[in-house]
């Protein structure tokens, strides 16, 4: 069971972070929550949430590399580390619009 969790956790973390940030983006851009004319607090919140997701991804890679959560099979270890790197790159790529594009278009 630990091997399955080790393999599934990196991409699950990416999916949860992606869903949470873009859900927060939709909430902040809705007519009920939008601040008239000033989107700086919402943009700051989105940037902070993206930073938290990226820090969690890097921390997960660190845990997967360390002996804290060791895998009995070296193949499982390499697969989980590879998926951790893929999840980190995916997080950077999919969260880049949060940092570069206007908050609400």
């Amino acid at each position: 069971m630990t091997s399955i969790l080790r393999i599934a956790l990196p991409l699950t973390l990416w999916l949860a972070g992606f869903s949470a940030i873009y859900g927060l983006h939709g909430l902040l851009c809705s007519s009920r929550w939008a601040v008239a004319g000033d989107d700086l607090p919402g943009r700051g919140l989105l940037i902070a949430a993206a930073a938290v997701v990226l820090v969690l991804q890097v921390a997960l890679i660190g845990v997967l590399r360390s002996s804290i959560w060791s895998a009995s099979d070296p193949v499982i270890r390499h697969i989980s580390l590879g998926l951790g790197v893929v999840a980190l790159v995916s997080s950077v790529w999919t969260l880049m619009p949060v940092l570069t594009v206007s908050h609400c278009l």
Side-chain angles (χ1 to χ4, degrees):
M1 187 64 164
T2 304
S3 298
I4 294 171
L5 182 62
R6 194 177 165 98
I7 289 173
L9 195 57
L11 291 177
T12 303
L13 181 61
W14 165 75
L15 178 64
F18 176 82
S19 300
I21 289 175
Y22 281 100
L24 179 63
H25 183 263
L27 181 67
L28 291 172
C29 288
S30 70
S31 62
R32 177 174 273 185
W33 291 88
V35 179
D38 183 24
D39 67 12
L40 187 61
R43 184 165 174 83
L45 185 61
L46 286 172
I47 290 171
V52 166
V53 169
L54 294 176
V55 166
L56 286 174
Q57 286 286 356
V58 170
L60 180 62
I61 290 174
V63 168
L64 291 174
R65 288 188 65 195
S66 71
S67 61
I68 296 171
W69 192 21
S70 61
S72 58
D73 189 8
V75 173
I76 298 296
R77 179 184 163 116
H78 291 299
I79 289 171
S80 63
L81 283 173
L83 288 173
V85 171
V86 166
L88 179 63
V89 170
S90 298
S91 294
V92 169
W93 183 255
T94 57
L95 298 178
M96 196 168 306
V98 170
L99 302 174
T100 59
V101 178
S102 177
H103 174 56
C104 294
L105 296 176

